[in-house]
Amino acid sequence: MNLPQPLQELIDQFESLPGIGRKSAAKLAFYLLNVPQDRLNRFSQALTDLKVKTHKCDRCFNLTENKRCSLCEDEGRDQSLLCVVEEVTDLLVIEQTRKFNGLYHVLYGRIDPLNNLGPEEILAPQLLSRLVKEGGKIKEIILATNPNMEGETTAMYLKSKLEELRTKKSLDFKISRLAYGLPMGASLEYADYGTLIQALDHRNGF
Amino acid sequence: MNLPQPLQELIDQFESLPGIGRKSAAKLAFYLLNVPQDRLNRFSQALTDLKVKTHKCDRCFNLTENKRCSLCEDEGRDQSLLCVVEEVTDLLVIEQTRKFNGLYHVLYGRIDPLNNLGPEEILAPQLLSRLVKEGGKIKEIILATNPNMEGETTAMYLKSKLEELRTKKSLDFKISRLAYGLPMGASLEYADYGTLIQALDHRNGF
């Protein structure tokens, strides 16, 4: 038996989302058959509004409803510290720690030569021009890309570009990156070699 | 940091669905930020259309876009066999077996005294009036409610009502229910007592 087309269409839409299979998609659509129409309308409105009303901050490219994001607008934040992340989701997770009070720059991607993603595909030029424009305010740039091949490539590329800029424009900022090592709660027995090597290389006095 | 309101609203909508937690909801919303607007619009349209364009068949209460569902409209199906199910999803799973070629009646629920659901809360009266209206065409009614307390209660209630109707209206139909026993591929060792007792009680010649 064919399902009614409107029901099938909604199932197809759910199924096209990552991590939602055919059975879950059907379960969600059947569930929604039993909710009030105004809840469907609100859900529907949220979908059409999503991209129309969500913009990128014109300074750090974080998501915002306005021209500037709430982090850039917040003058209480440390204007001398800049954290460079691959995605907005990385920014969110760092914010959740409540341990970082500086500014951000979102790259929207990583350099990934195997997938034909070069430096032009990410917002690296925007980072460099921001540093020039904002003059000497920024004193430290933390490269918080992911600890994998693509993240490392991106960090190395940015490091060389930033060092070049620092010399050319006589700017004065440090470049740092997140510490690598064993995650809290891990057991040595199950750690991968890469992580163990990092943990040995960057061992601390105790 | 607060997320932009349109993004947060969509996350909230996803999170309100069964089986979708906070993290998955955020993952889905961030994913949708990167799809073309027309895909968002189609998803949105599917949500608003869902209930507006999906109706219950005026005979068996299966879901349909029209007055009658495709199963009731199909004259090739056995008009003498009627399968009573709790939900449309049960009907779908029976259809998927391709082993049943009769008609259906969907109850939309079960009798569940602990949750204050009586016979009035399900489409039981509609089943009885359909039998009267359609006269003697139906020769067997399969009560395919779920094999649990509520399904059993519902089947017992329907059985007594159907027997009463059969006498009163001099109708001539059998009442049956699905076979209970061990599921295919099960191991005796892990079967629950209830299932084993059913399997013993309803043992077959071999």
Side-chain angles (χ1 to χ4, degrees), chain A residues 94-159:
Chain A
I94 294 177
E95 278 302 286
Q96 276 159 22
T97 65
R98 298 180 181 274
K99 269 294 183 190
F100 179 77
N101 194 35
L103 303 174
Y104 290 93
H105 180 88
V106 187
L107 295 170
Y108 287 94
R110 57 217 59 77
I111 296 174
D112 182 2
L114 293 180
N115 286 307
N116 274 322
L117 295 174
E120 324 69 49
E121 263 79 44
I122 60 174
L123 303 187
Q126 287 80 347
L127 171 63
L128 300 174
S129 63
R130 173 177 173 185
L131 289 171
V132 173
K133 204 168 122 200
E134 299 195 4
K137 271 200 288 183
I138 288 156
K139 296 299 173 203
E140 181 176 353
I141 298 170
I142 306 170
L143 299 176
T145 52
N146 282 312
N148 54 30
M149 178 115 78
E150 296 77 25
E152 286 295 276
T153 310
T154 310
M156 275 159 57
Y157 169 82
L158 289 177
K159 187 180 174 226

Side-chain angles (χ1 to χ4, degrees), chain B residues 166-181:
Chain B
R166 185 164 57 187
T167 319
K168 216 166 73 185
K169 299 280 174 182
S170 311
L171 292 171
D172 172 33
F173 54 75
K174 276 201 301 182
I175 303 170
S176 60
R177 65 169 196 175
L178 296 180
Y180 294 169

Side-chain angles (χ1 to χ4, degrees), chain B:
Chain B
M1 171 203 147
N2 291 329
L3 289 174
Q5 197 274 332
L7 183 62
Q8 188 61 56
E9 167 72 9
L10 187 60
I11 293 176
D12 294 345
Q13 289 297 336
F14 275 122
E15 201 183 338
S16 73
L17 299 178
I20 297 195
R22 211 163 59 96
K23 285 214 165 180
S24 310
K27 196 180 99 185
L28 294 173
F30 274 100
Y31 169 81
L32 287 172
L33 270 174
N34 295 314
V35 308
Q37 182 66 32
D38 74 309
R39 199 175 134 197
L40 290 179
N41 293 345
R42 269 186 31 226
F43 195 165
S44 160
Q45 194 64 48
L47 281 162
T48 38
D49 283 355
L50 177 67
K51 299 218 306 179
V52 180
K53 295 197 178 167
T54 308
H55 315 289
K56 288 180 179 138
C57 171
D58 72 352
R59 187 196 198 191
C60 76
F61 302 98
N62 180 18
L63 296 175
T64 173
E65 282 166 272
N66 310 309
K67 229 169 104 70
R68 285 256 159 124
C69 77
S70 56
L71 301 177
C72 280
E73 291 286 9
D74 180 355
E75 291 183 3
R77 295 186 73 100
D78 187 344
Q79 308 287 318
S80 70
L81 203 53
L82 183 68
C83 180
V84 180
V85 291
E86 293 180 23
E87 300 289 352
V88 176
T89 41
D90 301 328
L91 177 160
L92 290 175
V93 101
I94 294 176
E95 278 302 286
Q96 277 159 22
T97 65
R98 298 181 181 274
K99 268 297 183 186
F100 180 76
N101 193 36
L103 304 173
Y104 289 94
H105 180 88
V106 187
L107 296 169
Y108 287 93
R110 58 218 57 79
I111 298 174
D112 182 2
L114 293 179
N115 287 306
N116 275 322
L117 296 173
E120 323 70 47
E121 263 79 43
I122 59 174
L123 304 187
Q126 286 81 346
L127 171 63
L128 300 173
S129 62
R130 172 178 174 184
L131 289 171
V132 173
K133 204 168 123 200
E134 299 194 5
K137 271 199 287 184
I138 287 154
K139 296 301 174 200
E140 180 175 353
I141 298 171
I142 307 170
L143 300 175
T145 52
N146 283 313
N148 54 28
M149 178 113 81
E150 296 78 24
E152 286 294 276
T153 310
T154 310
M156 275 160 58
Y157 168 83
L158 289 177
K159 185 180 175 224
S160 83
K161 282 288 172 188
L162 287 169
E163 282 172 341
E164 197 182 304
L165 184 82
R166 185 164 57 187
T167 319
K168 216 166 73 185
K169 299 280 174 182
S170 311
L171 292 171
D172 172 33
F173 54 75
K174 276 201 301 182
I175 303 170
S176 60
R177 65 169 196 175
L178 296 180
Y180 294 169
L182 293 164
M184 295 298 293
S187 25
L188 279 180
E189 187 181 353
Y190 300 117
D192 63 293
Y193 294 143
T195 300
L196 261 184
I197 290 168
Q198 292 284 349
L200 282 167
D201 278 357
H202 301 103
R203 65 188 180 278
N204 301 310
F206 188 65

Side-chain angles (χ1 to χ4, degrees), chain A residues 10-201:
Chain A
L10 187 59
I11 294 175
D12 293 345
Q13 289 296 337
F14 276 121
E15 201 183 337
S16 72
L17 299 178
I20 297 194
R22 209 164 60 94
K23 285 215 165 180
S24 308
K27 196 180 100 185
L28 294 173
F30 274 100
Y31 168 80
L32 287 171
L33 270 173
N34 295 314
V35 308
Q37 182 66 31
D38 74 310
R39 200 175 133 195
L40 291 179
N41 294 345
R42 268 188 30 226
F43 195 165
S44 160
Q45 194 64 48
L47 281 162
T48 38
D49 283 354
L50 178 67
K51 299 218 304 180
V52 180
K53 295 198 179 168
T54 308
H55 316 290
K56 287 180 180 140
C57 172
D58 72 353
R59 186 196 198 191
C60 77
F61 302 97
N62 179 19
L63 296 174
T64 174
E65 282 165 272
N66 310 310
K67 229 169 104 68
R68 285 257 159 121
C69 77
S70 56
L71 301 177
C72 281
E73 291 286 10
D74 181 354
E75 292 182 4
R77 294 186 75 101
D78 187 344
Q79 307 288 319
S80 70
L81 204 53
L82 183 68
C83 181
V84 179
V85 291
E86 293 181 23
E87 301 289 352
V88 176
T89 41
D90 301 328
L91 178 160
L92 289 174
V93 101
I94 294 177
E95 278 302 286
Q96 276 159 22
T97 65
R98 298 180 181 274
K99 269 294 183 190
F100 179 77
N101 194 35
L103 303 174
Y104 290 93
H105 180 88
V106 187
L107 295 170
Y108 287 94
R110 57 217 59 77
I111 296 174
D112 182 2
L114 293 180
N115 286 307
N116 274 322
L117 295 174
E120 324 69 49
E121 263 79 44
I122 60 174
L123 303 187
Q126 287 80 347
L127 171 63
L128 300 174
S129 63
R130 173 177 173 185
L131 289 171
V132 173
K133 204 168 122 200
E134 299 195 4
K137 271 200 288 183
I138 288 156
K139 296 299 173 203
E140 181 176 353
I141 298 170
I142 306 170
L143 299 176
T145 52
N146 282 312
N148 54 30
M149 178 115 78
E150 296 77 25
E152 286 295 276
T153 310
T154 310
M156 275 159 57
Y157 169 82
L158 289 177
K159 187 180 174 226
S160 83
K161 283 287 173 189
L162 287 170
E163 283 171 340
E164 197 181 304
L165 185 81
R166 187 164 55 186
T167 318
K168 215 166 71 183
K169 299 279 173 184
S170 310
L171 292 171
D172 171 34
F173 53 76
K174 275 201 301 182
I175 302 170
S176 60
R177 64 169 197 175
L178 296 180
Y180 293 170
L182 294 164
M184 294 298 294
S187 24
L188 280 181
E189 187 180 354
Y190 299 119
D192 63 292
Y193 294 143
T195 300
L196 260 183
I197 291 168
Q198 291 285 348
L200 282 168
D201 279 355

